[in-house]
Amino acid sequence: MPITTRIATIADRDRLYNLYCEAMKGYIEEIWGWDETWQQNDFEEAFEACATYVTESQSDFSGYYQLKFGEDTDRLQMLILTPAMRSLGIGRQLLHRISTTSDERGRRLLLRVFKINTAAKRFYESNGWAVIAEEVAFYLMENPSYSLAHEPDISFPRTLESYAFVIV
C-alpha cells in the first residue's frame, strides 16, 4: 500500500490536533497534567515553527510528522500514525526516509521521546536509534547510522519538498 506525504495545510490542523491528543494525552497527563489551553497553544506554536507533513494511504489520512530544521541539526518533533496504520511497517519506512533525507542533506537528526513511552523508545531503538542524553521526562535520541556517515550531497539543497515523498 503506497504511503504519500505532503506538506500540511491549515485545513489539516484540526485533524492533526485530534490525533496528537489521542496519541499523547495519556503520557502528558501522567507527567505534567493536561491543560487544554496550554496544549492547544503549544500545538499551534509547533505547527507554525515546524515543517508539518501529512501522511496518507490511498488518500485516507494516516498520520503526520513534524521536523524542526536547524543549521546543522534537525529534530523530528513528532511522528504519529493513526491506530489503524500502526504496526504495519509504515512508521519504520517513514523514519528511514526522513533519516535518509536529513543525512543526504548533511544534517544530524535528533528526536526526544517520553521516558514513560516505552513502546516508542523500543520502536526507535529497533530502527537503529540510540539514547545520547537524558532529560527529566525525555530521552534524547539519534540514529548513529545516519549521523553524517558520508559527505552531504550539497548539489541538492534541503527544501520543505525534500521531506514530502511517496513510499511504495
Side-chain angles (χ1 to χ4, degrees), residues 24-97:
M24 304 302 287
K25 188 173 185 176
Y27 301 113
I28 293 168
E29 277 182 328
E30 187 173 331
I31 297 168
W32 299 291
W34 185 267
D35 178 324
E36 183 64 29
T37 302
W38 192 95
Q39 290 301 325
Q40 287 176 354
N41 290 336
D42 187 60
F43 180 86
E44 290 296 323
E45 286 177 22
F47 191 85
E48 295 299 321
C50 296
T52 302
Y53 300 87
V54 172
T55 63
E56 297 172 324
S57 173
Q58 301 173 346
S59 300
D60 290 330
F61 174 73
S62 60
Y64 79 101
Y65 59 95
Q66 290 180 311
L67 294 162
K68 189 165 193 172
F69 299 129
E71 200 168 306
D72 296 320
T73 301
D74 296 335
R75 287 191 182 250
L76 180 58
Q77 295 291 108
M78 199 64 57
L79 172 57
I80 303 176
L81 295 174
T82 60
M85 301 307 282
R86 295 177 192 155
S87 300
L88 301 175
I90 294 166
R92 178 181 303 272
Q93 292 177 59
L94 287 169
L95 189 61
H96 176 77
R97 183 65 184 264

Side-chain angles (χ1 to χ4, degrees), residues 5 12-15 23 39 47 49 54-56 81 85 90 94 117 120 133 139-140 148 159 163:
T5 64
D12 296 310
R13 193 168 37 204
D14 288 345
R15 178 177 272 177
Q39 290 301 325
F47 191 85
V54 172
T55 63
E56 297 172 324
L81 295 174
M85 301 307 282
I90 294 166
L94 287 169
N117 190 347
Y139 293 113
L140 180 64
L148 303 177
T159 65
Y163 290 87

Side-chain angles (χ1 to χ4, degrees), residues 24 34 43 49 51 56 95 102-103 108 110 122 131 154 168:
M24 304 302 287
W34 185 267
F43 180 86
E56 297 172 324
L95 189 61
S102 285
D103 186 54
R108 182 178 181 202
L110 303 175
R122 260 193 324 272
V131 173
I154 57 174
V168 287

